Amino acid sequence: MMYLQVAAGLVILLVCGELLVRGSVALAEQMGVSKLVIGFTVIAFGTSAPELVVCIQAAIDGVPGIAFGNVIGSNIANVLLVIGVPALIYPIVCDTRSALRDSFIMITATLLFMVLAWNGTIQLWQGALLVGFLAVIVLRSYFRARKEGEEALEEYEQNMPKSLPLSLLFVFMGLAGLILGSHLLVEGAEVIARIAGVSDEIIGLTLVALGTSLPELATSIIAAFRHHGDVAIGNVLGSNLFNITGIIGVTAIVEPMTAPAQILHFDLWIMLFVSLLMVPIFLSKKPIGRVLGGAFCIAYVTYIAAPFYGMSGVYAINPKKMPRP
Protein backbone atom coordinates (compact mmCIF):
# COMPACT_ATOMS: atom_id res chain seq x y z
CA MET A 1 0.00 0.00 0.00
CA MET A 2 2.76 2.46 0.91
CA TYR A 3 4.47 1.82 -2.44
CA LEU A 4 1.28 2.77 -4.25
CA GLN A 5 1.03 5.83 -2.02
CA VAL A 6 4.56 6.92 -2.97
CA ALA A 7 3.90 6.24 -6.66
CA ALA A 8 0.64 8.20 -6.51
CA GLY A 9 2.42 11.06 -4.74
CA LEU A 10 5.10 11.22 -7.43
CA VAL A 11 2.57 11.13 -10.28
CA ILE A 12 0.46 13.85 -8.66
CA LEU A 13 3.58 15.99 -8.09
CA LEU A 14 4.74 15.66 -11.69
CA VAL A 15 1.33 16.33 -13.25
CA CYS A 16 0.35 19.16 -10.92
CA GLY A 17 3.79 20.72 -11.15
CA GLU A 18 3.29 20.95 -14.90
CA LEU A 19 -0.21 22.38 -14.41
CA LEU A 20 1.19 25.03 -12.07
CA VAL A 21 3.91 26.06 -14.51
CA ARG A 22 1.60 26.27 -17.52
CA GLY A 23 -1.11 28.09 -15.58
CA SER A 24 1.41 30.54 -14.10
CA VAL A 25 3.03 31.21 -17.49
CA ALA A 26 -0.35 31.85 -19.09
CA LEU A 27 -1.44 34.05 -16.19
CA ALA A 28 1.77 36.08 -16.36
CA GLU A 29 1.40 36.60 -20.11
CA GLN A 30 -2.23 37.65 -19.73
CA MET A 31 -1.14 40.20 -17.12
CA GLY A 32 1.42 41.68 -19.51
CA VAL A 33 4.57 40.27 -17.91
CA SER A 34 7.46 40.05 -20.39
CA LYS A 35 8.64 36.67 -21.67
CA LEU A 36 12.09 37.36 -20.30
CA VAL A 37 10.78 37.74 -16.76
CA ILE A 38 8.58 34.66 -17.19
CA GLY A 39 11.54 32.60 -18.34
CA PHE A 40 13.76 33.57 -15.44
CA THR A 41 11.14 33.41 -12.69
CA VAL A 42 7.90 31.54 -13.35
CA ILE A 43 9.40 28.66 -15.35
CA ALA A 44 12.69 28.47 -13.48
CA PHE A 45 11.07 28.33 -10.06
CA GLY A 46 7.85 26.61 -11.08
CA THR A 47 9.59 23.53 -12.45
CA SER A 48 11.25 23.02 -9.04
CA ALA A 49 7.99 23.42 -7.13
CA PRO A 50 7.55 19.65 -6.51
CA GLU A 51 10.95 19.37 -4.79
CA LEU A 52 10.30 22.54 -2.80
CA VAL A 53 6.90 21.41 -1.51
CA VAL A 54 8.24 17.94 -0.65
CA CYS A 55 11.11 19.44 1.37
CA ILE A 56 8.86 21.87 3.23
CA GLN A 57 6.38 19.08 4.00
CA ALA A 58 9.19 16.83 5.26
CA ALA A 59 10.64 19.58 7.46
CA ILE A 60 7.23 20.40 8.95
CA ASP A 61 6.54 16.69 9.58
CA GLY A 62 9.78 16.44 11.55
CA VAL A 63 11.70 14.29 9.03
CA PRO A 64 14.46 16.64 7.81
CA GLY A 65 16.40 13.60 6.61
CA ILE A 66 13.96 13.27 3.70
CA ALA A 67 14.36 16.99 2.88
CA PHE A 68 18.17 16.91 2.96
CA GLY A 69 18.27 13.56 1.20
CA ASN A 70 15.92 14.77 -1.51
CA VAL A 71 18.11 17.77 -2.36
CA ILE A 72 21.50 16.09 -2.12
CA GLY A 73 20.32 12.90 -3.82
CA SER A 74 18.72 14.95 -6.62
CA ASN A 75 21.96 16.85 -7.22
CA ILE A 76 23.92 13.62 -7.44
CA ALA A 77 21.30 12.10 -9.75
CA ASN A 78 21.31 15.20 -11.93
CA VAL A 79 25.03 14.92 -12.68
CA LEU A 80 25.41 11.14 -12.93
CA LEU A 81 22.03 10.12 -14.32
CA VAL A 82 20.55 13.18 -16.06
CA ILE A 83 23.82 13.70 -17.96
CA GLY A 84 24.77 10.02 -18.20
CA VAL A 85 21.59 8.70 -19.83
CA PRO A 86 21.36 11.36 -22.58
CA ALA A 87 25.08 10.84 -23.34
CA LEU A 88 24.28 7.19 -24.09
CA ILE A 89 21.78 8.38 -26.70
CA TYR A 90 23.91 11.07 -28.36
CA PRO A 91 27.24 12.71 -27.38
CA ILE A 92 26.63 15.92 -25.45
CA VAL A 93 28.37 18.99 -26.87
CA CYS A 94 27.98 22.28 -25.04
CA ASP A 95 29.25 25.86 -24.89
CA THR A 96 32.37 25.25 -22.81
CA ARG A 97 32.78 28.84 -21.63
CA SER A 98 29.19 29.15 -20.45
CA ALA A 99 29.21 25.68 -18.87
CA LEU A 100 32.43 26.41 -17.00
CA ARG A 101 31.05 29.68 -15.66
CA ASP A 102 27.83 28.06 -14.49
CA SER A 103 29.64 25.07 -12.99
CA PHE A 104 31.87 27.36 -10.92
CA ILE A 105 28.75 29.16 -9.66
CA MET A 106 27.17 25.81 -8.76
CA ILE A 107 30.35 24.69 -6.95
CA THR A 108 30.50 27.97 -5.03
CA ALA A 109 26.88 27.48 -3.93
CA THR A 110 27.67 23.87 -2.97
CA LEU A 111 30.60 24.94 -0.79
CA LEU A 112 28.49 27.67 0.85
CA PHE A 113 25.78 25.12 1.61
CA MET A 114 28.31 22.66 3.05
CA VAL A 115 29.79 25.31 5.36
CA LEU A 116 26.35 26.26 6.64
CA ALA A 117 25.20 22.65 7.03
CA TRP A 118 28.34 21.61 8.88
CA ASN A 119 27.15 23.41 12.01
CA GLY A 120 24.44 20.78 12.18
CA THR A 121 21.38 22.97 11.64
CA ILE A 122 20.25 25.26 8.85
CA GLN A 123 18.66 28.19 10.66
CA LEU A 124 16.35 30.90 9.31
CA TRP A 125 19.18 33.41 8.71
CA GLN A 126 21.23 30.76 6.90
CA GLY A 127 18.26 29.93 4.71
CA ALA A 128 17.87 33.64 3.93
CA LEU A 129 21.57 33.80 3.00
CA LEU A 130 21.16 30.92 0.55
CA VAL A 131 18.08 32.52 -1.01
CA GLY A 132 19.94 35.85 -1.26
CA PHE A 133 22.82 34.12 -3.07
CA LEU A 134 20.33 32.64 -5.54
CA ALA A 135 18.67 36.03 -6.08
CA VAL A 136 22.02 37.60 -6.99
CA ILE A 137 22.77 34.84 -9.51
CA VAL A 138 19.29 35.08 -11.07
CA LEU A 139 19.58 38.85 -11.49
CA ARG A 140 23.06 38.45 -12.95
CA SER A 141 21.80 35.86 -15.43
CA TYR A 142 18.82 38.06 -16.28
CA PHE A 143 21.05 40.85 -17.51
CA ARG A 144 23.57 38.55 -19.21
CA ALA A 145 21.21 36.47 -21.33
CA ARG A 146 18.12 38.36 -22.48
CA LYS A 147 17.24 35.89 -25.23
CA GLU A 148 17.17 32.82 -23.01
CA GLY A 149 13.86 33.76 -21.43
CA GLU A 150 12.02 33.69 -24.76
CA GLU A 151 13.60 30.39 -25.70
CA ALA A 152 12.57 28.89 -22.37
CA LEU A 153 8.98 29.91 -23.01
CA GLU A 154 8.63 28.36 -26.48
CA GLU A 155 7.85 24.82 -25.31
CA TYR A 156 4.97 26.06 -23.14
CA GLU A 157 3.25 28.34 -25.67
CA GLN A 158 1.49 25.56 -27.57
CA ASN A 159 -0.41 24.03 -24.66
CA MET A 160 -1.17 26.94 -22.34
CA PRO A 161 -4.69 27.84 -21.14
CA LYS A 162 -6.07 30.68 -23.24
CA SER A 163 -8.41 32.36 -20.78
CA LEU A 164 -7.92 33.98 -17.38
CA PRO A 165 -10.36 31.67 -15.50
CA LEU A 166 -8.72 28.59 -17.00
CA SER A 167 -5.25 29.90 -16.11
CA LEU A 168 -6.36 30.45 -12.51
CA LEU A 169 -7.87 26.95 -12.44
CA PHE A 170 -4.53 25.48 -13.61
CA VAL A 171 -2.69 27.41 -10.88
CA PHE A 172 -5.06 26.37 -8.08
CA MET A 173 -5.18 22.74 -9.26
CA GLY A 174 -1.38 22.73 -9.44
CA LEU A 175 -0.96 24.14 -5.93
CA ALA A 176 -3.56 21.81 -4.43
CA GLY A 177 -2.03 18.82 -6.18
CA LEU A 178 1.47 19.69 -5.00
CA ILE A 179 0.29 19.82 -1.40
CA LEU A 180 -1.58 16.51 -1.70
CA GLY A 181 1.22 14.80 -3.65
CA SER A 182 3.92 15.91 -1.22
CA HIS A 183 1.87 14.67 1.74
CA LEU A 184 1.37 11.25 0.13
CA LEU A 185 5.02 10.97 -0.90
CA VAL A 186 6.52 11.98 2.45
CA GLU A 187 4.11 9.86 4.48
CA GLY A 188 4.64 6.84 2.25
CA ALA A 189 8.42 7.29 2.30
CA GLU A 190 8.39 7.38 6.12
CA VAL A 191 6.47 4.10 6.27
CA ILE A 192 8.83 2.43 3.79
CA ALA A 193 11.84 3.59 5.81
CA ARG A 194 10.41 2.15 9.03
CA ILE A 195 9.49 -1.20 7.46
CA ALA A 196 12.81 -1.56 5.64
CA GLY A 197 14.75 -0.58 8.72
CA VAL A 198 16.59 2.26 7.01
CA SER A 199 16.82 5.92 7.93
CA ASP A 200 14.62 8.64 6.48
CA GLU A 201 17.64 10.22 4.81
CA ILE A 202 18.36 7.03 2.82
CA ILE A 203 14.82 7.04 1.46
CA GLY A 204 15.25 10.74 0.64
CA LEU A 205 18.58 10.13 -1.08
CA THR A 206 17.26 7.26 -3.18
CA LEU A 207 13.53 6.85 -3.73
CA VAL A 208 12.39 10.46 -3.24
CA ALA A 209 15.41 12.05 -4.95
CA LEU A 210 15.14 9.80 -8.00
CA GLY A 211 11.41 10.42 -8.29
CA THR A 212 11.70 14.21 -8.12
CA SER A 213 14.58 14.14 -10.66
CA LEU A 214 12.41 12.50 -13.33
CA PRO A 215 11.36 15.83 -14.96
CA GLU A 216 15.00 16.85 -15.41
CA LEU A 217 15.82 13.40 -16.82
CA ALA A 218 12.92 13.56 -19.30
CA THR A 219 13.93 17.05 -20.44
CA SER A 220 17.55 16.00 -20.98
CA ILE A 221 16.58 12.86 -22.91
CA ILE A 222 14.40 14.92 -25.24
CA ALA A 223 17.27 17.39 -25.66
CA ALA A 224 19.62 14.51 -26.53
CA PHE A 225 17.31 13.23 -29.27
CA ARG A 226 17.22 16.78 -30.68
CA HIS A 227 21.03 17.09 -30.36
CA HIS A 228 20.70 20.03 -27.96
CA GLY A 229 23.50 19.30 -25.50
CA ASP A 230 23.44 22.81 -24.03
CA VAL A 231 19.89 22.24 -22.82
CA ALA A 232 20.87 19.10 -20.90
CA ILE A 233 23.92 20.74 -19.29
CA GLY A 234 22.07 23.96 -18.47
CA ASN A 235 19.19 21.96 -17.03
CA VAL A 236 21.50 20.12 -14.62
CA LEU A 237 23.59 23.09 -13.52
CA GLY A 238 20.53 25.32 -13.01
CA SER A 239 18.57 22.65 -11.15
CA ASN A 240 21.48 21.85 -8.83
CA LEU A 241 22.01 25.53 -8.04
CA PHE A 242 18.34 26.05 -7.23
CA ASN A 243 18.15 22.87 -5.13
CA ILE A 244 20.86 23.83 -2.66
CA THR A 245 20.06 27.53 -2.48
CA GLY A 246 16.38 28.04 -3.23
CA ILE A 247 14.87 24.81 -1.94
CA ILE A 248 17.03 24.38 1.15
CA GLY A 249 16.94 28.14 1.76
CA VAL A 250 13.15 28.51 1.59
CA THR A 251 12.60 25.31 3.58
CA ALA A 252 14.92 26.55 6.36
CA ILE A 253 13.08 29.87 6.46
CA VAL A 254 9.79 28.00 6.94
CA GLU A 255 11.22 25.40 9.34
CA PRO A 256 14.88 25.22 10.50
CA MET A 257 16.37 21.79 9.79
CA THR A 258 18.95 19.58 11.48
CA ALA A 259 21.36 17.93 9.05
CA PRO A 260 21.67 14.13 9.55
CA ALA A 261 25.18 13.05 10.57
CA GLN A 262 25.57 10.43 7.84
CA ILE A 263 24.73 12.98 5.16
CA LEU A 264 27.29 15.41 6.60
CA HIS A 265 30.04 12.80 6.67
CA PHE A 266 29.33 10.99 3.40
CA ASP A 267 26.75 12.25 0.93
CA LEU A 268 27.74 15.92 1.07
CA TRP A 269 31.22 14.92 -0.09
CA ILE A 270 29.84 12.75 -2.87
CA MET A 271 27.75 15.70 -4.05
CA LEU A 272 30.82 17.97 -4.01
CA PHE A 273 32.90 15.37 -5.85
CA VAL A 274 30.42 14.90 -8.71
CA SER A 275 30.04 18.70 -8.96
CA LEU A 276 33.83 19.14 -9.22
CA LEU A 277 33.91 16.33 -11.77
CA MET A 278 32.24 18.60 -14.32
CA VAL A 279 35.15 21.09 -14.39
CA PRO A 280 37.83 18.85 -16.02
CA ILE A 281 35.20 17.52 -18.42
CA PHE A 282 34.37 21.04 -19.60
CA LEU A 283 38.07 22.05 -19.65
CA SER A 284 38.82 19.15 -22.00
CA LYS A 285 36.40 20.72 -24.51
CA LYS A 286 35.42 17.24 -25.67
CA PRO A 287 31.86 15.90 -26.04
CA ILE A 288 30.47 13.76 -23.23
CA GLY A 289 30.23 10.47 -25.11
CA ARG A 290 28.76 7.05 -24.51
CA VAL A 291 31.75 5.71 -22.55
CA LEU A 292 31.64 8.53 -20.01
CA GLY A 293 27.84 8.47 -19.99
CA GLY A 294 27.91 4.74 -19.24
CA ALA A 295 30.45 5.30 -16.46
CA PHE A 296 28.19 7.96 -14.96
CA CYS A 297 25.19 5.60 -15.01
CA ILE A 298 27.17 2.76 -13.41
CA ALA A 299 28.45 5.17 -10.74
CA TYR A 300 24.89 6.24 -9.95
CA VAL A 301 23.59 2.67 -9.71
CA THR A 302 26.51 1.88 -7.37
CA TYR A 303 25.72 4.91 -5.24
CA ILE A 304 22.04 3.97 -5.01
CA ALA A 305 22.84 0.34 -4.16
CA ALA A 306 25.43 1.23 -1.50
CA PRO A 307 22.98 2.18 1.28
CA PHE A 308 21.17 -1.14 1.01
CA TYR A 309 24.31 -3.24 1.31
CA GLY A 310 26.22 -1.08 3.79
CA MET A 311 29.20 1.01 2.77
CA SER A 312 32.20 1.53 5.01
CA GLY A 313 29.87 1.41 8.01
CA VAL A 314 28.16 4.61 6.93
CA TYR A 315 24.91 2.96 5.97
CA ALA A 316 23.47 -0.18 7.40
CA ILE A 317 20.18 -1.99 7.33
CA ASN A 318 18.80 -3.74 10.35
CA PRO A 319 17.91 -7.17 8.90
CA LYS A 320 15.42 -7.82 11.71
CA LYS A 321 13.27 -4.96 10.43
CA MET A 322 13.22 -6.13 6.84
CA PRO A 323 9.79 -7.25 5.64
CA ARG A 324 9.39 -10.99 5.21
CA PRO A 325 8.97 -12.26 1.66
Side-chain angles (χ1 to χ4, degrees):
M1 180 63 183
M2 65 277 188
Y3 295 104
L4 290 176
Q5 183 173 337
V6 168
L10 284 172
V11 171
I12 292 172
L13 283 172
L14 297 178
V15 172
C16 291
E18 187 70 10
L19 284 176
L20 176 62
V21 172
R22 293 189 182 277
S24 300
V25 168
L27 189 61
E29 276 209 314
Q30 290 157 10
M31 294 175 65
V33 179
S34 72
K35 292 183 178 181
L36 181 59
V37 173
I38 294 173
F40 271 91
T41 55
V42 178
I43 293 177
F45 296 108
T47 51
S48 294
E51 291 96 326
L52 177 60
V53 177
V54 167
C55 285
I56 291 176
Q57 182 70 53
I60 292 175
D61 287 351
V63 281
I66 290 180
F68 273 97
N70 181 26
V71 166
I72 295 169
S74 291
N75 278 22
I76 295 171
N78 282 347
V79 174
L80 297 180
L81 194 66
V82 178
I83 290 181
V85 172
L88 292 175
I89 299 171
Y90 190 84
I92 297 176
V93 182
C94 65
D95 179 353
T96 305
R97 182 179 178 182
S98 174
L100 270 174
R101 182 187 68 238
D102 292 342
S103 63
F104 281 127
I105 292 173
M106 180 190 70
I107 291 168
T108 301
T110 300
L111 291 172
L112 174 61
F113 168 66
M114 291 180 69
V115 170
L116 296 177
W118 202 253
N119 291 322
T121 303
I122 302 290
Q123 302 284 354
L124 186 151
W125 72 268
Q126 294 169 313
L129 180 61
L130 289 170
V131 172
F133 180 89
L134 176 63
V136 171
I137 299 303
V138 169
L139 287 174
R140 180 175 177 272
S141 300
Y142 176 89
F143 292 110
R144 284 181 64 95
R146 293 183 177 274
K147 292 183 180 180
E148 291 183 12
E150 296 185 9
E151 293 173 357
L153 186 58
E154 287 178 359
E155 64 176 291
Y156 291 94
E157 288 184 326
Q158 295 180 350
N159 299 303
M160 289 195 303
K162 304 302 181 183
S163 65
L164 181 60
L166 190 57
S167 300
L168 289 171
L169 179 61
F170 269 46
V171 170
F172 288 129
M173 287 178 61
L175 289 172
L178 288 178
I179 295 171
L180 173 62
S182 65
H183 177 74
L184 290 174
L185 177 60
V186 171
E187 188 179 75
E190 284 187 78
V191 174
I192 291 174
R194 286 197 299 270
I195 291 178
V198 300
S199 62
D200 294 324
E201 45 266 37
I202 291 179
I203 295 298
L205 287 161
T206 55
L207 178 63
V208 179
L210 180 59
T212 55
S213 291
L214 291 179
E216 286 87 353
L217 179 60
T219 299
S220 293
I221 290 175
I222 293 171
F225 278 114
R226 296 177 179 175
H227 301 173
H228 292 165
D230 283 347
V231 173
I233 296 296
N235 184 29
V236 166
L237 296 178
S239 177
N240 281 14
L241 173 65
F242 186 78
N243 282 348
I244 55 181
T245 54
I247 292 180
I248 288 292
V250 172
T251 303
I253 290 173
V254 174
E255 184 73 28
M257 298 180 293
T258 300
Q262 64 183 34
I263 285 182
L264 290 178
H265 293 93
F266 185 73
D267 300 284
L268 272 181
W269 299 99
I270 297 295
M271 181 180 69
L272 177 62
F273 174 75
V274 298
S275 299
L276 291 171
L277 194 62
M278 303 307 298
V279 175
I281 292 174
F282 295 146
L283 285 174
S284 70
K285 299 182 180 180
K286 295 180 180 179
I288 302 175
R290 291 185 175 88
V291 173
L292 187 56
F296 274 20
C297 291
I298 292 172
Y300 183 71
V301 171
T302 303
Y303 170 75
I304 287 294
F308 299 98
Y309 291 95
M311 183 176 229
S312 302
V314 177
Y315 296 118
I317 286 182
N318 183 351
K320 294 181 180 180
K321 294 184 179 181
M322 289 294 290
R324 295 181 180 179

